[in-house]
Amino acid sequence: MSKRDYYDVLGVSKGAAPDEIKKAFRRKAKELHPDRNKDNPDSEAQFKEINEAYEVLKDEEKKAAYDRFGHAAFDGGMGGGPRPGQGFGSGDFSSAFSDVFDDLFGDFMGGQRGGGGRRASRGSDLRYNLRVTLEDAFSGLQKTVQVPTAVSCSTCEGTGSEGGVEPTACPTCSGLGKVRAQQGFFTVERTCPTCSGLGQIIKNPCKACGGNGRIEKDRALSVNIPAGVETGTRIRLAGEGEAGMRGGPPGDLYIFVEVERHELFERDGTNLYCRVPVTMAKAALGGAIEVPTIDGGRGRVQVPAGSQSGRQMRLRGKGMPALRGGGIGDMFIELAVETPVNLTSRQKELLSEFDELSEDNNPETNSFFSSVKSFWDGMKG
Ligand SMILES: [Zn+2]
Ligand SMILES: [Zn+2]
């Protein structure tokens, strides 16, 4: 089988500097990555080819051997020359493959993948719904939550392999994690059934975790809920999600906050609204009233004489804190004037008397009633 020259494969000259070789490789790897070339059936082979070339040319010793003997340096029969593993496509290929992943997709995948050439996958992000009271949202709180999650197996240190033996490339998919199958005219790509897409198999799976490298466990996590959270606030706890597969990095934990309805206060951003009942006499005569505040204390507001139901008053700085950037909202008090009920005969007497007097000195509020009265009188007329 005639093999292409490694330098040609990467498109660099023989005297290329290590940096140049690396750059050329990265560019090609990006171009040919199987995930981006689903409709190019050759890309997989080409991808392997550039990996193989880079594996040799990035290594000073192997490169020197290749420069002297060409491909023969790595043929089994040659002897003497350094051999890159058991031939690419099986053993070493998978490690080259995950190096590429580390190199190219490390950031994109959410950080460093498992080291040592292990095929690792990042754990899932977890969502945790947390209900808090409005008081808690006002003051912030430290909350311990029980997170059901998969944690890294301590027996095998997350490798999934008994005694820490390195996993080997999956023979079914040659470490790609995917297999191609002919279906009629089409070639379809499927997750490899042997390795479930991990690209690797473990000969002696760890007994504690069954080879997953992680075990299900409830974890108590202390979470700091900042003051000012609202329904819909998400708190991200990096790395507190599900453990990765076989030493991969963990996912993140998202706390989704839901603030419960409060029996007294309604919230709009940083402002609070509260309906406060006042007696008819207080609304008419004016005077101070005490209102409850969200901090558990009491605030005093002055009700102006002659206040109608629905009148709003503001208590500055008694609202909710802003989640970011500090500041605190106001509390708005809406008066609800109460009509007295269950009157004693004495009260009735006084109110009747009051009513008679009102007709003379309060024409404005009574103008509507007097117009109704005259209308009524006219009907009877
Ligand atoms: Zn284990
Ligand atoms: Zn496989």
Side-chain angles (χ1 to χ4, degrees), residues 319-331:
M320 298 292 286
L323 186 56
R324 287 183 192 84
I328 191 157
D330 300 330
M331 175 171 160

Side-chain angles (χ1 to χ4, degrees), residues 89-90 94 168-177 192 194-196 198-201:
S90 62
S94 73
T168 53
C170 170
T172 309
C173 62
S174 311
L176 280 172
C192 172
T194 309
C195 61
S196 309
L198 285 171
Q200 293 187 325
I201 51 162

